[in-house]
Amino acid sequence: MYQLLHRSSERPWDMSSYALDSLPFADRDSDRHLILHMQENRSHLTREARLCFSVIALLFMVTSLAPAMKGQWLVPAFSMLAMAALTFALERHVKSRPASETLELADGHVRHRDSAGRIVQYPAYWMRLATEGRSQADLRLFLRSRDGAIEFGRCLSLDEKREVAPLIAAALVKAGGH
């Protein structure tokens, strides 16, 4: 999931979506910023996902019945341990902090901050957007310059990456990049 933020001179921080021509760099006002905040989607399990999880648990129980009838108690014990481990992993994942990134185009610079706190900053003038993908289901977004490269959007889904790419490309052109 992502949020496109900007600051106009008339009002404080405002969250909205833009058409490509109305990005906040239209008048090259130096106090306006474009900030793209990206975060991993941590939605609750859907009804279908809970049903699938229940079916897996039922299959573990059913497949361990025949060995249990023959006196092989390690199979049902392993099945219960496997379900407990899967449940524990899901609970830990839900409680962990989601990955996030912030990409800011402001004052002729591009800044990228990830969830680990690393900050990378390059001049926007030499920046260009590059995409890489090994297949239709794979897409990686890069901002490249002569000083280095920034990979961004790692925590976005494929559709979100496709939505964000033209917005960043237009913002780079209006900010002075290539």
Side-chain angles (χ1 to χ4, degrees):
M1 100 181 114
Y2 67 93
Q3 294 177 330
L4 190 60
L5 307 167
H6 83 285
R7 192 182 97 194
S8 70
S9 55
E10 295 88 36
R11 55 189 161 179
W13 290 104
D14 179 10
M15 180 178 62
S16 58
S17 61
Y18 299 99
L20 291 180
D21 343 333
S22 65
L23 284 169
F25 291 102
D27 60 358
R28 294 203 179 251
D29 188 7
S30 64
D31 68 337
R32 298 175 103 173
H33 302 287
L34 177 72
I35 298 174
L36 178 65
H37 180 70
M38 301 162 277
Q39 183 174 344
E40 180 184 20
N41 188 0
R42 288 288 182 93
S43 303
H44 293 287
L45 288 176
T46 62
R47 184 173 184 269
E48 291 82 16
R50 286 192 304 270
L51 179 65
C52 183
F53 190 70
S54 300
V55 167
I56 291 171
L58 183 65
L59 286 174
F60 267 129
M61 289 179 4
V62 167
T63 56
S64 64
L65 282 178
M69 296 288 199
K70 294 178 183 176
Q72 299 170 343
W73 291 102
L74 288 179
V75 175
F78 175 76
S79 294
M80 287 188 287
L81 280 174
M83 283 309 301
L86 186 58
T87 304
F88 178 73
L90 283 172
E91 289 296 318
R92 294 273 301 169
H93 179 70
V94 167
K95 291 179 182 176
S96 67
R97 189 172 151 209
S100 66
E101 300 175 67
T102 302
L103 184 69
E104 180 178 354
L105 287 95
D107 303 324
H109 288 0
V110 176
R111 289 179 201 92
H112 179 264
R113 179 180 303 123
D114 62 7
S115 56
R118 291 183 295 264
I119 299 174
V120 179
Q121 179 174 327
Y122 294 118
Y125 182 75
W126 299 106
M127 279 286 160
R128 65 181 173 80
L129 178 69
T131 60
E132 290 181 5
R134 291 170 277 188
S135 67
Q136 292 289 348
D138 181 37
L139 179 64
R140 294 174 65 191
L141 302 174
F142 293 92
L143 289 174
R144 297 185 193 253
S145 75
R146 63 183 185 171
D147 299 327
I150 302 170
E151 182 181 2
F152 70 97
R154 288 172 281 196
C155 58
L156 297 178
S157 69
L158 180 63
D159 292 333
E160 291 171 332
K161 288 178 185 179
R162 289 182 179 151
E163 291 172 12
V164 164
L167 296 174
I168 295 301
L172 275 174
V173 168
K174 293 183 181 189
H178 297 289

